[in-house]
Amino acid sequence: MAGWGRAVQTMQQVIKVGSAEIVLTHNRHIPLLMSTLNDVLLNSNNDGQISRIFPGVNQTVRKIKTIFDVRVHGTTPNGIRLLARQHTKYQEVFVTTTYTEEELQYVLDVAMGKYAYRPGNAELDKLCSKR
C-alpha cells in the first residue's frame, strides 16, 4: 500500500483585506460564509481590530436550518470562536481580534443585513464607520 507513510500536504491560501487576512487551509466552505467574512473585514476593520480569520472544517448535523446564520460561540486564548450554520452544515470560524463578543456579533449582524446601521452611538459609529 503505497502512500501510507507520506505526509499530507495542505493547501494554504491567504486573502488580504486591508491589514487583515483570511487564512484558507481547505476549499470547502458554507456558500455565504466567505462573502460575509469579506464584508465584515471591509466594513469594520478600518482600525485593525481584526487581524486574522481562520475558517474551520465543515461538519454535518441532522437538524436543518434554512437561513444562513453566524453566531459568536465563545472565546479562545487568541480571540473569538464563531459558528456558521446553513442547511445541514455548520462550520467553526476562529477570529483573532480585540473586539468583545458583543461587538463582534453586532459587526456580523450588520454585515449579514439583519438590521441597518443607525448612526448616533459613538462606539458603534467607530465600529462601522464605513457602512
Side-chain angles (χ1 to χ4, degrees):
M1 298 217 178
W4 279 92
R6 289 185 289 184
V8 177
Q9 285 186 335
T10 58
M11 172 196 80
Q12 183 168 351
Q13 179 183 4
V14 177
I15 300 171
K16 285 222 171 242
V17 180
S19 62
E21 298 175 338
I22 300 176
V23 181
L24 303 176
T25 55
H26 55 86
N27 59 358
R28 296 181 192 159
H29 302 287
I30 293 176
L32 292 173
L33 180 62
M34 296 310 294
S35 62
T36 302
L37 295 178
N38 195 26
D39 287 347
V40 166
L41 291 179
L42 286 174
N43 295 327
S44 66
N45 199 28
N46 56 350
D47 53 357
Q49 292 203 357
I50 297 175
S51 58
R52 284 192 176 169
I53 296 178
F54 299 93
V57 179
N58 270 344
Q59 296 188 7
T60 305
V61 293
R62 288 186 182 193
K63 188 174 181 181
I64 296 175
K65 182 172 183 128
T66 57
I67 299 171
F68 173 72
D69 193 23
V70 180
R71 289 275 157 225
V72 172
H73 195 262
T75 59
T76 64
N78 295 329
I80 296 176
R81 177 181 169 212
L82 308 174
L83 277 182
R85 293 259 337 249
Q86 186 176 22
H87 300 295
T88 59
K89 300 284 185 186
Y90 83 92
Q91 186 168 3
E92 292 179 328
V93 179
F94 300 95
V95 180
T96 305
T97 182
T98 58
Y99 283 142
T100 64
E101 292 181 22
E102 294 82 18
E103 290 171 338
L104 185 59
Q105 186 63 57
Y106 178 79
V107 170
L108 285 165
D109 288 345
V110 169
M112 290 187 296
K114 288 194 175 179
Y115 50 97
Y117 166 69
R118 293 184 180 88
N121 185 336
E123 293 176 14
L124 299 179
D125 286 344
K126 183 180 176 187
L127 285 176
C128 299
S129 62
K130 289 188 178 181
R131 193 135 177 118

